[in-house]
Each structure stands twice: as structure tokens, then as C-alpha cells.
Amino acid sequence: MFRRTFWFTTGVAAGVWATTKVNRKLRQLTPESLAAQAADRAVEAGHRLKEFALDVKAGMARRETELNDALGLEPRDGDQNRELPGPRRPTELGTKYPYNRNEDH
């Protein structure tokens, strides 16, 4: 009698455990869950890329300082806070009208 009860309880516990595992896995494979996982990984990749870019920028500045010291050059005032130029307008590129991709269709 105790033997049957033991195996019955063991079987019920194994069934509940397996059902829980399967349901968790199925929830992980829904389109919403997969989209959320992809978005999280994309955000992580963006953070890593930003950190890499900042490390490269810091390394470039450090190396530029080393080269200036080795060559005996003094950095100009504008070199420290130098910014990239803004985007060019179509008139600056030599065209009178901006290109509209919708006109090709």
C-alpha cells in the first residue's frame, strides 16, 4: 500500500514539474517574448557599442596628446572642444532641389 502511494506521489510530482517546465518554455517562445528578448539584446549591443566608441575616443585623445608631447606641439584651444560639422543642406551639395525618393515610383 505504501509502495503504491509513494510511486503515485512521485508520478504526480514528476508530472507537475514537467508541465511547469514545458509551460515556461512555451511562454519563452511566444512572438511577444521573442521580440522582447531581441529588443533587450539590441539595447545591450547598443550600450556595448557606445562604450567601445567612448574608449576609442579616449584612446585617440590620449595618443594625440602623446604625439603632441613627442613632437613638441602645443594643442590649440579649439582642438579640445572640437565638434563635427552639422549635416549639409542639398543646396550646399550643388543641387537646387532636394532629392525625393518618392518621385521615382
Side-chain angles (χ1 to χ4, degrees):
M1 172 92 170
F2 290 111
R3 216 172 180 187
R4 286 184 182 173
T5 305
F6 170 77
W7 287 113
F8 177 76
T9 306
T10 303
V12 168
V16 169
W17 177 80
T19 304
T20 304
K21 282 290 209 183
V22 167
N23 285 335
R24 275 191 202 150
K25 205 45 119 167
L26 287 176
R27 270 188 262 129
Q28 286 179 351
L29 296 176
T30 61
E32 296 85 14
S33 178
L34 292 175
Q37 289 174 10
D40 290 342
R41 289 188 179 150
V43 168
E44 280 181 32
H47 288 304
R48 280 183 275 156
L49 186 61
K50 182 179 178 182
E51 289 175 12
F52 174 73
L54 291 174
D55 288 345
V56 168
K57 185 176 179 181
M60 286 173 35
R62 186 175 57 247
R63 182 65 178 150
E64 186 175 2
T65 303
E66 290 173 4
L67 290 173
N68 283 340
D69 290 343
L71 296 174
L73 299 175
E74 294 290 326
R76 293 180 295 193
D77 293 335
D79 285 350
Q80 298 299 330
N81 297 324
R82 198 170 27 179
E83 292 184 14
L84 293 174
R88 292 194 268 172
R89 306 265 183 249
T91 55
E92 294 173 3
L93 296 174
T95 59
K96 186 173 180 182
Y97 301 105
Y99 178 69
N100 187 353
R101 294 187 335 191
N102 294 331
E103 293 176 357
D104 291 345
H105 300 294

